[in-house]
Amino acid sequence: MSCFSLLALQKKGDTPTFMSKLEPIEITEGDDFQLSCNVTGRPQPEVQWFRDEVLIKPSRRFKASYDGNVSALTVKEAELDDDGVYKCVVTNNFGSVSSKADVTVLKKHLRPERDYAPIFEEKQFLEPLEIQVRQPVEVSYHVRGRPKPTVTWWKNGKELRDGKHVEIRSGGTYHTLYILRSEEEDAGSYKCLARNDVGSAERLFEVQVEEPSVTWYRNKNEIVPDGRSRTTFDGETYKLILQDIKIKDAGQYECIASNPIGKAFCTAEMTVNKREAPVFVSKLRPLFVTEGDNVSWMCKVAGMPRPTVEWYRDNQPLRADTRWKMDFDGRVCSLFLSEADCKDKGVYNCVITNSAGSAFSSAELQVDKKANKPKVIEKMNDVQTVEGTEARFDVRFSGLPRPEVTWYRNSIKVRNESRFHLSEDGDRYSLTITDTKLVDTGTYKCVATNEGGKITSRGDLDVRERQFAPEFYGDDELKEPVVVQESDAINFKVRVRGKPVPTIVWYKDGEMVRDVRRFEIRSRGDIYTFATYSASAEDAGTYTCEASNKLGK
């Protein structure tokens, strides 16, 4: 049995760094100009440009670009107001840096009218430029001349062209050569040549590229490669690989890189623990969320060596994407889901594995549909009816979850009892009132409520009085002939009902009785009485009671 460990000394991130900073430039009104600087940093930083501390927004004349190495601000058709202090601010999670430069915009008539040959403001380099492998190279010259010189760059007698490895930039009177990532073949003799119609000028410089020497140490003792250890270099990273790790391999490791220019080092502490099968210190727990919510699962784990983590939903592996984020720092493994959907529900499993074994924890995710405020699909209508009949209100609501409804009459809650009956059929809600009374008249409302809110629908109930033609009922004293003795009292009594209340007229032998001195006509409720207290022979005859209203008689 064998095992191995890979010790690669790399940082997870770096503060942004300017490999070359902004340089002041002087340009003439109407000319285009460009400010540029080389920037590094991990993760790739964000870049902002300012003029006199005011953020520069992209426009027709201002355009900013950043390709991961060179940040540039290009300004078209310079105006006098473009004069000022320009600043490039570079930021990532590890920090922020900035570089400033003055930009001077001259009026056209201030430019000298005399033509002259190109002039380099900088002196000739006396010593070679010594560069470390994979480091950027930047050489800038300030060149003046009239007419404006053409500037070209040369290496070992061959003209250099702008490309992926070499970038050539000009901004106003500044001209810069960038080698983004130096290699050994970049060493050589370089020349910057400026020409115009009057003459030419040049600057020469040598570039030397050094490959650093790398040595590894453990507890200050140099590590000599043997059967269990070896070193590699892939052009990017120096690695120390240890196989069949043992307890005695624990300690402080140091990597020292050096060349004639200087040296750099980094250290790391390695702890060797006994092999342990992975276990869950804290397990997943079921989650119940609403559609659109974010989901976060975290569980603590232990195990040696550090376990790998895999996530599954309903036994199907999950892959990180724009919605799913997975993280594991060696102790806590996390699963994040943004804006959960109903299709995301299921049983989730976290599986941890190392060379000593594996373990899993599972939990269910339940996603409920998002609450939607109730809406009126079909509003309640006004109802008119006659007392004693049935009245019914209907209203239809939508909403998720299904809303609960409450009925009111003139702000008093209506309960499902006596003459009032509440019912539901799907999204239709009904209130039925049997044997309606005049007092039932009023405004009725149905209030639908759920987690998303509430809404109300209203309708008026108008209960009108029931009208009918007069009718006699009960014992009718006029049905049979009445015989009395002279001077006896006569008393006829009838019961009449009708709506509107009927008008009562008494007749004798077809003639309306008008003599109220001898006859007394009374009414009490629906009882009507015709009487005389002393009958005479002339009172004999046929008596008729007539009841009438607008519906009949």
Side-chain angles (χ1 to χ4, degrees):
M1 178 181 291
S2 65
C3 65
F4 73 91
S5 176
L6 173 65
L7 181 61
L9 299 178
Q10 288 183 305
K11 295 181 179 178
K12 291 185 178 180
D14 299 298
T15 303
T17 303
F18 285 100
M19 306 308 296
S20 66
K21 295 190 175 183
L22 300 179
E23 297 287 347
I25 61 173
E26 185 178 282
I27 46 91
T28 303
E29 180 182 13
D31 288 348
D32 298 344
F33 70 92
Q34 184 182 75
L35 296 170
S36 61
C37 53
N38 272 65
V39 179
T40 63
R42 291 185 299 164
Q44 180 171 308
E46 294 182 356
V47 179
Q48 292 180 304
W49 288 86
F50 297 82
R51 182 175 67 82
D52 295 336
E53 302 302 329
V54 177
L55 178 66
I56 297 174
K57 297 181 179 180
S59 66
R60 181 187 65 83
R61 293 198 309 112
F62 289 85
K63 182 179 180 182
S65 63
Y66 179 48
D67 61 7
N69 290 298
V70 177
S71 175
L73 174 68
T74 303
V75 181
K76 301 289 187 181
E77 303 170 3
E79 300 175 356
L80 293 178
D81 289 342
D82 295 332
D83 194 282
V85 178
Y86 285 71
K87 180 170 69 172
C88 179
V89 178
V90 185
T91 307
N92 69 8
N93 295 337
F94 292 86
S96 177
V97 293
S98 64
S99 177
K100 296 181 179 180
D102 289 323
V103 174
T104 303
V105 183
L106 300 175
K107 283 190 175 183
K108 285 186 178 182
H109 69 271
L110 296 179
R111 172 174 283 183
E113 297 298 331
R114 180 181 59 86
D115 291 347
Y116 58 95
I119 299 173
F120 281 85
E121 298 288 345
E122 292 80 11
K123 295 181 179 180
Q124 179 73 50
F125 290 141
L126 299 178
E127 299 292 336
L129 298 177
E130 296 179 336
I131 306 299
Q132 199 169 328
V133 173
R134 291 172 301 284
Q135 294 300 310
V137 179
E138 177 188 349
V139 179
S140 294
Y141 288 112
H142 183 193
V143 184
R144 294 185 293 106
R146 170 165 289 280
K148 184 177 180 180
T150 300
V151 176
T152 56
W153 296 83
W154 302 74
K155 175 195 170 190
N156 297 335
K158 294 183 178 181
E159 185 177 355
L160 295 174
R161 302 292 183 183
D162 192 54
K164 293 183 179 180
H165 184 62
V166 175
E167 290 190 4
I168 298 173
R169 298 193 179 266
S170 296
T173 58
Y174 281 87
H175 304 272
T176 305
L177 170 69
Y178 297 102
I179 301 176
L180 303 180
R181 179 185 172 89
S182 61
E183 304 294 345
E184 291 185 8
E185 55 266 27
D186 292 320
S189 299
Y190 287 77
K191 177 174 66 175
C192 180
L193 177 61
R195 293 176 177 173
N196 65 11
D197 293 341
V198 181
S200 65
E202 64 182 28
R203 285 290 182 265
L204 305 176
F205 58 95
E206 294 286 330
V207 174
Q208 295 179 357
V209 181
E210 299 285 347
E211 179 70 48
S213 172
V214 176
T215 307
W216 292 84
Y217 297 86
R218 183 177 67 84
N219 298 333
K220 304 299 182 181
N221 297 314
E222 183 178 349
I223 297 174
V224 178
D226 56 19
R228 293 179 53 244
S229 65
R230 60 188 175 92
T231 60
T232 64
F233 174 59
D234 60 7
E236 176 73 25
T237 305
Y238 291 89
K239 297 179 181 179
L240 170 64
I241 299 176
L242 303 176
Q243 294 181 315
D244 190 17
I245 294 295
K246 301 182 183 301
I247 296 294
K248 67 179 183 179
D249 293 324
Q252 185 178 60
Y253 285 75
E254 186 176 28
C255 179
I256 298 179
S258 61
N259 64 15
I261 302 175
K263 68 177 183 179
F265 71 93
C266 57
T267 62
E269 188 77 25
M270 185 171 77
T271 303
V272 180
N273 297 315
K274 290 184 178 180
R275 191 186 305 272
E276 296 177 351
V279 295
F280 283 90
V281 179
S282 64
K283 295 188 175 184
L284 300 179
R285 55 184 179 83
L287 292 178
F288 301 90
V289 300
T290 301
E291 190 176 27
D293 289 347
N294 294 332
V295 175
S296 175
W297 256 315
M298 290 188 290
C299 50
K300 293 184 179 180
V301 302
M304 188 58 61
R306 172 174 169 157
T308 60
V309 179
E310 294 176 299
W311 290 89
Y312 296 84
R313 183 187 69 207
D314 295 334
N315 297 321
Q316 297 299 315
L318 287 175
R319 298 287 182 261
D321 57 23
T322 54
R323 295 178 63 241
W324 292 101
K325 305 295 181 186
M326 303 166 191
D327 189 34
F328 180 48
D329 63 5
R331 297 181 57 195
V332 178
C333 42
S334 306
L335 177 66
F336 302 97
L337 168 63
S338 61
E339 298 181 359
D341 190 88
C342 289
K343 66 183 180 182
D344 296 319
K345 66 182 179 180
V347 177
Y348 286 73
N349 280 280
C350 178
V351 180
I352 52 176
T353 306
N354 67 10
S355 55
S358 65
F360 73 92
S361 177
S362 62
E364 183 178 5
L365 173 64
Q366 184 66 44
V367 182
D368 294 329
K369 283 190 173 293
K370 187 175 182 178
N372 295 323
K373 179 181 177 180
K375 293 183 179 179
V376 177
I377 302 175
E378 184 180 308
K379 70 177 183 179
M380 190 188 307
N381 293 321
D382 295 336
V383 176
Q384 288 185 346
T385 189
V386 177
E387 63 176 329
T389 60
E390 180 182 281
R392 174 173 171 146
F393 288 107
D394 290 302
V395 60
R396 293 176 62 204
F397 292 112
S398 66
L400 192 69
R402 178 184 175 89
E404 295 184 358
V405 302
T406 307
W407 290 86
Y408 296 88
R409 182 178 70 86
N410 297 336
S411 300
I412 299 175
K413 186 175 181 179
V414 176
R415 302 187 181 280
N416 192 20
E417 59 188 12
S418 184
R419 297 182 299 108
F420 295 85
H421 306 282
L422 309 180
S423 62
E424 299 178 9
D425 183 10
D427 59 7
R428 183 180 298 276
Y429 301 84
S430 302
L431 166 62
T432 303
I433 306 172
T434 59
D435 189 18
T436 53
K437 310 293 184 184
L438 294 179
V439 294
D440 295 332
T441 296
T443 298
Y444 288 74
K445 67 179 180 181
C446 183
V447 181
T449 307
N450 68 7
E451 298 170 8
K454 68 178 180 180
I455 196 168
T456 300
S457 182
R458 293 177 172 83
D460 290 329
L461 174 61
D462 181 12
V463 181
R464 298 182 177 181
E465 188 176 40
R466 186 172 69 87
Q467 297 182 341
F468 55 93
E471 59 183 16
F472 292 94
Y473 71 100
D475 296 333
D476 187 349
E477 296 185 0
L478 299 184
K479 291 181 179 180
E480 301 293 336
V482 176
V483 178
V484 296
Q485 300 295 321
E486 192 171 9
S487 299
D488 285 350
I490 302 173
N491 189 30
F492 297 121
K493 184 186 295 182
V494 295
R495 288 180 176 271
V496 183
R497 56 190 172 193
K499 287 187 180 180
V501 175
T503 300
I504 305 299
V505 179
W506 292 87
Y507 295 87
K508 175 179 178 293
D509 298 330
E511 296 291 333
M512 182 185 297
V513 177
R514 300 182 183 276
D515 188 358
V516 295
R517 291 174 299 176
R518 297 188 60 250
F519 299 100
E520 181 180 1
I521 300 173
R522 303 189 303 271
S523 66
R524 183 177 181 182
D526 58 356
I527 300 175
Y528 297 86
T529 305
F530 179 88
T532 181
Y533 296 103
S534 178
S536 63
E538 64 184 23
D539 294 328
T542 301
Y543 288 81
T544 303
C545 178
E546 180 185 87
S548 64
N549 62 16
K550 63 181 181 179
L551 298 180
K553 64 180 180 179

